[in-house]
Amino acid sequence: MKKNILVVHTGGTISMFEDSETGAVKPGNENPLSTQTKGLNNLANLIIKEPFNLPSPHITMQEMIQLKKIIEDEVNQNKIEGVVITHGTDTLEETAYFLDLTIDLKIPIVVTGAMRSSNEIGSDGLYNLITSIRVAACDDAKGKGVLVVLNDEIHTAENVTKTHASNVSTFQSPQYGPIGIITKQGVFFHNTPTHKEKYDIDQISKRVALLKAHAGMDSLLFHSILDLQYDGIVIEALGQGNMPPDTVEGIKSLIEANIPTIIVSRCFNGIAQDIYGYNGGGKQLKELGAIFSNGLNGQKARIKLLIALSQTNDMKVIEEMFH
């Protein structure tokens, strides 16, 4: 028996056209996926929603919350057995991670996209949509959190990231790899996520900054964050979580103002840890009160801190959420 799968189109390259004259990729008057999806009812009983049609750089926390509510409402009102969301790739991992942290459902939820627009040679959008529907209809995909499916691979929302500006195999999970694959014969999982956490929220009102460390960095930007009254900050620090010595004063001022200061590594692999004891080293930052995140990249740590601040201002509770 075919399953009832909710398909939510949000926009992005997967729904865009390449202009034959200028080469510019942009949205058209209609989303081509809306028509294409209707032709996929041989895979499942598809319920199609299109709440907005936005390039992913236009996606904000408000659209993420809207997606969360659409999914929860549809599941409550209809017998939905799986969900597929089509999304632009630039911020896809952030939306997927937000939904992973805030939707408490066992049914498969899959986020997918494309690196080539709908009318380009070698367009990957329709294929990724088909494989995502197959994963969402798969019993083995239940209870694994929000999944990201592109290029015949299945990744967790927590670990996946966009690694290439244009290549179709851009989505990878550094250190961990995909947890499953899709072939012509079926959907196969070889790993199951063990870490699960859920937070009940209905709005995001806080502001969190994200800064990347560099050689010779000073405290000016950190003082600016304080002056602009941000509620939190994520720092992509050097190596295992170290900063140039001239930044310490600014970081200290943020922590003394009770602004949660999360440290992640700007490195592609590895985890930020308080190892080095020199001026600006991780040990000094930890002693000042900085919170070291357990392996998240900067953009996902920012999503998590926004969610944390919607729950509490208690620094100890926030620190526990990042361990």
Side-chain angles (χ1 to χ4, degrees):
M1 182 179 295
K2 291 191 293 186
K3 294 190 175 181
N4 297 322
I5 304 296
L6 172 66
V7 179
V8 185
H9 295 310
T10 71
T13 299
I14 193 169
S15 65
M16 295 184 187
F17 299 86
E18 181 182 61
D19 189 292
S20 59
E21 294 182 2
T22 66
V25 176
K26 54 188 178 182
N29 294 327
E30 296 182 356
N31 185 338
L33 281 179
S34 298
T35 302
Q36 291 174 335
T37 306
K38 294 175 183 177
L40 301 177
N41 278 305
N42 60 312
L43 299 173
N45 298 317
L46 303 180
I47 299 92
I48 304 169
K49 297 287 183 179
E50 191 173 346
F52 43 82
N53 185 13
L54 296 173
S56 64
H58 294 193
I59 298 292
T60 69
M61 300 304 300
Q62 300 313 310
E63 282 77 28
M64 295 183 196
I65 290 172
Q66 186 179 349
L67 286 174
K68 172 182 180 291
K69 291 179 177 178
I70 288 171
I71 293 168
E72 291 172 341
D73 289 346
E74 286 294 325
V75 169
N76 288 333
Q77 297 170 13
N78 300 299
K79 189 181 177 182
I80 301 297
E81 297 166 278
V83 178
V84 173
I85 301 165
T86 64
H87 195 288
T89 58
D90 285 348
T91 61
L92 185 152
E93 64 192 87
E94 289 161 85
T95 296
Y97 188 54
F98 173 82
L99 297 175
D100 190 53
L101 291 177
T102 60
I103 295 183
D104 192 11
L105 295 171
K106 299 298 183 184
I107 64 171
I109 299 175
V110 177
V111 187
T112 191
M115 295 302 291
R116 295 172 182 156
S117 57
S118 61
N119 63 335
E120 286 185 64
I121 294 174
S123 174
D124 52 332
L126 183 58
Y127 183 83
N128 285 337
L129 174 59
I130 291 170
T131 54
S132 295
I133 293 171
R134 291 175 62 198
V135 172
C138 173
D139 288 337
D140 289 343
K142 293 179 180 177
K144 289 182 169 62
V146 174
L147 303 171
V148 172
V149 172
L150 292 96
N151 207 37
D152 284 334
E153 293 184 339
I154 308 168
H155 297 262
T156 66
E158 181 177 10
N159 294 326
V160 77
T161 191
K162 186 175 181 177
T163 66
H164 195 286
S166 57
N167 197 296
V168 294
S169 63
T170 179
F171 281 94
Q172 305 290 331
S173 295
Q175 300 187 101
Y176 305 101
I179 64 167
I181 60 172
I182 306 106
T183 73
K184 293 183 182 299
Q185 294 183 332
V187 176
F188 302 96
F189 287 91
H190 51 257
N191 283 319
T192 297
T194 57
H195 178 67
K196 297 178 182 178
E197 52 186 322
K198 301 294 177 186
Y199 303 99
D200 184 19
I201 69 164
D202 56 14
Q203 63 177 350
I204 296 287
S205 60
K206 304 297 184 178
R207 295 193 306 152
V208 172
L210 172 60
L211 293 182
K212 188 168 188 172
H214 57 264
M217 192 177 192
D218 59 26
S219 288
L220 287 177
L221 286 174
F222 298 103
H223 289 314
S224 296
I225 295 298
L226 184 60
D227 293 340
L228 291 169
Q229 299 182 332
Y230 272 77
D231 302 291
I233 182 172
V234 175
I235 304 170
E236 289 190 6
L238 308 172
Q240 293 190 67
N242 311 305
M243 294 295 291
D246 286 346
T247 65
V248 174
E249 178 192 351
I251 293 171
K252 184 179 179 181
S253 69
L254 291 171
I255 295 170
E256 288 177 346
N258 206 38
I259 294 175
T261 302
I262 310 299
I263 302 292
V264 303
S265 175
R266 75 175 192 177
C267 295
F268 195 70
N269 288 291
I271 296 173
Q273 296 177 309
D274 54 320
I275 302 297
Y276 287 92
Y278 50 71
N279 189 22
K283 282 196 175 297
Q284 182 188 37
L285 299 179
K286 183 73 175 290
E287 290 169 0
L288 288 174
I291 298 169
F292 279 67
S293 177
N294 188 20
L296 292 174
N297 62 23
Q299 55 267 35
K300 288 182 187 172
R302 177 182 171 274
I303 293 290
K304 190 168 189 178
L305 183 53
L306 282 167
I307 292 171
L309 288 168
S310 75
Q311 308 279 305
T312 181
N313 290 315
D314 189 317
M315 204 70 73
K316 289 184 178 180
V317 175
I318 292 173
E319 184 173 7
E320 289 174 0
M321 290 173 66
F322 277 89
H323 283 172

